[in-house]
Amino acid sequence: MLLGLLVFPLNILRIETGAAVLFPIFSAKEIIPRVNHGVGLAVLVSFGFGLLFLAYRYRAHLARLVFGCGYLVVPILFITFPRMASDWLTNPRRSVGFEPASSLPQRDTSKDLRVVWAIFDELDEGLLFPDRPRTLAMPNFDRLRKEAIMVTNAYPPGWDTLNSIPLLLTGLPGRVDALYWDDIELKYDDFASTVRWSDVPNIFGEARALGYKTGLTGWFHVYCHVLGKNLDTCYRHSRPRFDYDHRFFVNIQMMTDRFFVMSRRSVFSHIDDFRRLQEAGRIQAANPDLGLVFVHLPVPHAPWIYDRVSEEIVDPQDDSPVGYIDNLALTDRAMGKLRSAMERTAIWDRSVYIVSADHSWRGRKKLDGRWDPRVPFLIHFPDGGHAELHHPMDTIITSRLISEILHGNITTTKAAESWINHESRQFVPNVEKLRPPAEPEAPRSPLLSRLEVLQ
């Protein structure tokens, strides 16, 4: 018990800071990398019994150490635990569904086009289509591209999720200026001062004003809290808030909270979040009452949780960038399941399906030495028309495109093609702002042979 009291906070600190090198004994992969689970379990059990023996042998010294630390921690607990309990019990951001803050008159939209907008986190256009390894099959994406508008040079409005998503949903160029635990402060190019994301008009508010119901499923951002007043239903993954706050003392308080709460930022929580988010997204996409659905799924973003050979979700054995290729196969399955959900409920024939990403894969240089900021952009209309557009396009115009669809101004592939051709020339992408911060060049030689096998 005393050992548990000592190890538990240390392990949480290791997970939260990512400093595995400081506490290597608490992670199986640092102890015995690249061995099978049976051997690993045997070593860990033996190691555990050894620790228990030492703890018993020196129990008096350990007890004094633990209780000494306890005296230092107790004052913090009186502040931290009540706040944590209140947040857990009363925080509406954890809700799977909720009533929007304001009610608007609804109209019959059962015969109107509806929009399902799917964002796959860190989905790379280059590896998805032109540079795809020959051994990677993406049947659902290949099927969709033949019956949709495909923009081959689409660029996101920001280089990361934090910046891109707010700009995509508001349709305004800008950047994140400050991050709070429950909101974001943005500096838009056309605004004189900064503004909270929750105060900026967005595509969901416009859809509800037109009489449509709206739904959102997503991860990373505090969607349900920030956008709740414009949503009829919302599902967000398990973490109830951001892990950082721009305000110094609030950030110190949050760090203290996390020290005493088991972190959800692990491979296992990523798998669990993906499964729950995928199911929630399928339910919303197939709901005929929702006129606008936004689904933001955490794949193919790391960690690598899929094995395309066995076609199973797995606990990854290493962090090799080759794992991104496996996660691409999982992304293909997830995208296809969203489509299948709509097809099974017979609303596919009046659904506009948009598939894109918040940013490309920032770690691609570790795989093949390339950097490509492009993201996929495909939009399918019920008429099943196909077109390929090669002019550079900033995906920030997606919200405006959806607005035209919901207003009834764009109802066909041809009309959408003409609109994109015109509007993409008004918003020329700034490619340089999408370049990730400089990183040291990673050794490429061990990966090149593996990449040759893939391609």
Side-chain angles (χ1 to χ4, degrees), residues 273-328:
D273 285 339
F274 166 71
R275 286 173 167 159
R276 292 175 182 272
L277 288 164
Q278 179 179 238
E279 182 60 25
R282 289 171 59 190
I283 291 172
Q284 290 185 6
N287 185 343
D289 294 331
L290 297 178
L292 173 60
V293 175
F294 180 82
V295 181
H296 176 197
L297 295 183
V299 290
H301 194 287
W304 318 134
I305 60 173
Y306 189 68
D307 181 353
R308 60 195 166 99
V309 176
S310 64
E311 298 184 347
E312 294 180 350
I313 291 180
V314 297
D315 175 21
Q317 295 302 300
D318 59 53
D319 59 355
S320 165
V322 178
Y324 180 84
I325 307 302
D326 285 329
N327 271 25
L328 281 179

Side-chain angles (χ1 to χ4, degrees), residues 1-11 26 62 65-66 69:
M1 180 177 177
L2 295 177
L3 182 63
L5 290 174
L6 178 63
V7 170
F8 185 72
L10 290 178
N11 191 46
F26 303 114
L62 184 60
L65 175 63
V66 170
C69 294

Side-chain angles (χ1 to χ4, degrees), residues 2 22 118 166 232 331 361 399 403 405 432:
L2 295 177
L22 297 179
D232 290 276
T331 304
W361 184 27
S399 285
S403 173
I405 294 171
E432 281 306 309

Side-chain angles (χ1 to χ4, degrees), residues 350-417:
R350 66 179 187 91
S351 296
V352 177
Y353 190 23
I354 302 174
V355 177
S356 190
D358 51 347
H359 56 86
S360 64
W361 184 27
R362 296 162 295 185
R364 182 174 172 178
K365 276 192 174 183
K366 297 177 182 179
L367 180 72
D368 59 8
R370 303 179 187 178
W371 174 71
D372 187 347
R374 294 177 301 162
V375 295
F377 187 88
L378 302 104
I379 177 168
H380 173 277
F381 279 81
D383 61 21
H386 170 71
E388 285 197 12
L389 307 180
H390 305 291
H391 190 276
M393 173 189 129
D394 191 330
T395 57
I396 200 169
I397 68 174
T398 308
S399 285
R400 295 177 55 206
L401 174 59
I402 292 173
S403 173
E404 295 294 323
I405 294 171
L406 297 180
H407 276 89
N409 298 329
I410 296 177
T411 59
T412 65
T413 301
K414 192 67 175 176
E417 177 187 0

Side-chain angles (χ1 to χ4, degrees), residues 11 21-22 34 43 59 72 83 125 145 172 174 243 254 274 298 314 332 338 360:
N11 191 46
V21 293
L22 297 179
R34 296 179 177 83
V43 172
R59 57 188 180 277
L72 300 176
R83 183 178 181 275
E125 161 71 13
R145 71 178 294 182
L172 300 171
D243 286 340
M254 293 173 63
F274 166 71
V314 297
D332 184 75
L338 286 175
S360 64

Side-chain angles (χ1 to χ4, degrees), residues 175-252:
R175 59 176 173 80
V176 170
D177 188 72
L179 179 64
Y180 301 97
W181 67 274
D182 61 348
D183 207 341
I184 290 175
E185 196 165 276
L186 298 160
K187 178 65 177 73
Y188 286 108
D189 295 351
D190 296 334
F191 289 17
S193 59
T194 59
V195 61
R196 290 290 183 99
W197 184 14
S198 55
D199 295 329
V200 182
N202 56 68
I203 188 59
F204 301 106
E206 184 175 352
R208 294 192 75 238
L210 293 172
Y212 294 94
K213 290 185 176 181
T214 59
L216 185 150
T217 293
W219 83 306
F220 186 82
H221 279 288
V222 285
Y223 288 113
C224 303
H225 177 73
V226 175
L227 305 175
K229 62 186 178 183
N230 299 130
L231 298 170
D232 290 276
T233 182
C234 182
Y235 181 87
R236 183 179 178 267
H237 75 120
S238 55
R239 289 162 59 204
R241 60 194 183 191
F242 285 121
D243 286 340
Y244 176 79
D245 194 290
H246 186 74
R247 296 162 293 188
F248 176 77
F249 289 106
V250 177
N251 197 41
I252 293 297

